[in-house]
Amino acid sequence: MHAEPGYITEKDAIQVRLRRIEGQVRGLQRLVDEDTYCIDILTQISASTKALENVALLLLDQHLQHCLTHAEGPDDTRRKLTEASEAIARLVRS
């Protein structure tokens, strides 16, 4: 049996955010199709990136609050902390 994900209480809000981001990306495609000014497209890319980063931070927060507090012993806690640290490193590099 697999435990519920830490974000389960925020799942609907996350889905809403991801659908909004999906719309933003489709909007970017439309801007390119319409030969929109480069800087305007870059501005919209920045907004989409920031929205994705916010979802990532929410997921990370849920991981820390739920998954770590429900870890099954010190080894599991250490593994989940390592996962969180690696996820943070990936977010910072991106």
Side-chain angles (χ1 to χ4, degrees):
M1 186 172 138
H2 188 68
E4 289 183 331
Y7 60 83
I8 195 72
T9 60
E10 300 291 327
K11 186 175 181 175
D12 291 338
I14 290 170
Q15 291 286 23
V16 167
R17 287 180 181 205
L18 290 173
R19 281 191 286 279
R20 189 176 309 126
I21 294 164
E22 180 183 22
Q24 287 176 308
V25 172
R26 277 194 306 274
L28 287 166
Q29 293 169 329
R30 192 171 43 256
L31 291 175
V32 172
D33 287 341
E34 296 170 355
D35 299 324
T36 302
Y37 185 58
C38 300
I39 298 302
D40 294 337
I41 297 171
L42 289 169
T43 299
Q44 292 306 311
I45 289 172
S46 178
S48 297
T49 301
K50 186 69 173 170
L52 278 171
E53 288 172 353
N54 286 335
V55 171
L57 289 173
L58 174 62
L59 288 168
L60 180 60
D61 183 61
Q62 292 299 311
H63 176 73
L64 294 173
Q65 288 187 32
H66 178 270
C67 298
L68 280 177
T69 59
H70 292 91
E72 298 174 3
D75 289 340
D76 193 32
T77 300
R78 230 179 335 276
R79 182 182 60 79
K80 289 180 179 184
L81 276 171
T82 299
E83 290 173 341
S85 293
E86 290 170 353
I88 291 167
R90 285 190 302 271
L91 286 171
V92 170
R93 283 192 302 261
S94 62

